[in-house]
Amino acid sequence: MQVPVAFEVRENGLLLTFSDKLGAGAAEASRHFAQCWNYRYSAAYGSPELSLRQPEQAGHDVLDITRAVVVGEGRQLFLEMPQIQPAGQIHVVVQPQDGVERELFLTAHVLGGPFRDFAGYQAVAKQPRLAVPGAGPAAAQANPWGQGKPGRALRVQTAAGLQFAERELRAKRGERLSVTLANPDVVPHNWVLLAPGSTSKVGEAANKMIADPRGFSKHYVPEVPEVLVYTDMVDPGREFTIYCNAPAEPGNYPYICTFPGHWMVMKGVLVVE
Ligand SMILES: [Cu+2]
């Protein structure tokens, strides 16, 4: 059956152990494939798959397999990959025998010493190790309304089930406001005030930010003119206050949470009189 039962990530490649002896063609490097990518660790929901070579770019890096060697009494396959490096995901597709394909997803935090137990071993110069992307979340952008003259306090709380406890707020046109979003919920939320009638447009733009490596540092607030003011993304148990003026024109101004996926249910309206 040639089921992979063990793996070792070495400085010069990958050593796979199988349950059964490998087929005759397993020593052809071109039958096997490997690529790698990283995830960004942060408080954000999910992560794009990020290239190691270009850490801010979404994408996978193909790993060159320069040699495939059958060792270990025919049950081990060494894939020589001189430029392998620690990665959140190393995706390997191998053909241990004609018509048999095995797929592995590995995480390599460190590399073991070079594997030398085969004829023709040669040390290969290692390119310098690349920076691991997303070692910490990108610094958040400063909120444009995070400081300023206080106004009438408006307090909005989140509620279970992706809701704002307050679905309607009222303000006088141009009124000075201190808007606090308190988040007793278990996931992050923000409060984003929009131009009338723009909920779908802004919401769809917010959903796309899940694939933006900078989405979290932008608090998932799309850069579109329909966004009027916003709080930061507020972590569970925290609150955040912004200091701003109510719109000068009377009307119904929607507010939403732009955490991707929330806006369709998490919304309310600021009535400006
Ligand atoms: Cu939310």
Side-chain angles (χ1 to χ4, degrees):
M1 289 169 67
Q2 288 123 353
V3 174
V5 294
F7 71 91
E8 293 175 31
V9 187
R10 301 294 199 95
E11 204 179 292
N12 58 337
L14 187 63
L15 181 63
L16 300 173
T17 304
F18 290 84
S19 56
D20 300 276
K21 282 200 170 184
L22 299 164
E28 285 169 36
S30 62
R31 289 166 54 133
H32 313 294
F33 172 81
Q35 61 179 352
C36 61
W37 64 88
N38 269 323
Y39 295 121
R40 183 189 302 282
Y41 286 84
S42 75
Y45 180 79
S47 165
E49 296 179 357
L50 297 167
S51 161
L52 275 70
R53 293 196 185 116
Q54 294 172 287
E56 295 306 325
Q57 297 285 314
H60 298 171
D61 304 314
V62 173
L63 287 163
D64 275 341
I65 301 173
T66 49
R67 185 156 31 176
V69 192
V70 176
V71 291
E73 293 163 357
R75 289 204 305 126
Q76 287 186 307
L77 178 66
F78 179 68
L79 300 177
E80 186 184 58
M81 294 185 266
Q83 301 312 326
I84 196 169
Q85 61 170 313
Q89 290 282 275
I90 299 173
H91 174 215
V92 188
V93 185
V94 292
Q95 272 186 56
Q97 172 169 298
D98 290 341
V100 175
E101 205 168 86
R102 301 290 180 220
E103 196 171 9
L104 299 90
F105 292 86
L106 318 173
T107 297
H109 298 290
V110 290
L111 306 180
F115 181 73
R116 307 162 194 262
D117 301 339
F118 59 95
Y121 165 77
Q122 280 185 313
V124 182
K126 199 85 171 162
Q127 287 165 5
R129 187 178 160 183
L130 300 167
V132 176
Q141 292 175 1
N143 190 292
W145 301 277
Q147 298 183 334
K149 195 163 83 67
R152 180 170 64 88
L154 273 183
R155 192 174 176 85
V156 187
Q157 286 215 56
T158 65
L162 305 182
Q163 299 293 329
F164 290 113
E166 292 76 17
R167 310 261 179 99
E168 187 178 303
L169 302 170
R170 290 180 171 268
K172 302 226 156 32
R173 62 183 86 169
E175 184 185 8
R176 189 71 184 165
L177 298 171
S178 300
V179 182
T180 298
L181 176 66
N183 183 18
D185 197 19
V186 294
V187 293
H189 299 289
N190 66 0
W191 182 89
V192 182
L193 186 66
L194 309 179
S198 66
T199 302
S200 300
K201 180 189 168 183
V202 178
E204 278 155 27
N207 282 355
K208 291 195 179 119
M209 295 186 81
I210 200 72
D212 177 353
R214 292 254 160 264
F216 182 70
S217 65
K218 293 174 185 167
H219 299 282
Y220 297 115
V221 177
E223 291 162 307
V224 294
E226 288 84 356
V227 168
L228 304 180
V229 297
Y230 58 85
T231 70
D232 283 6
M233 201 53 77
V234 182
D235 282 332
R238 300 293 186 92
E239 56 179 61
F240 191 88
T241 301
I242 55 170
Y243 308 91
C244 60
N245 295 331
E249 295 292 319
N252 292 336
Y253 292 78
Y255 55 83
I256 61 174
C257 168
T258 59
F259 200 105
H262 290 194
W263 65 275
M264 284 177 277
V265 287
M266 194 159 181
K267 49 190 164 188
V269 61
L270 174 69
V271 179
V272 177
E273 297 154 317

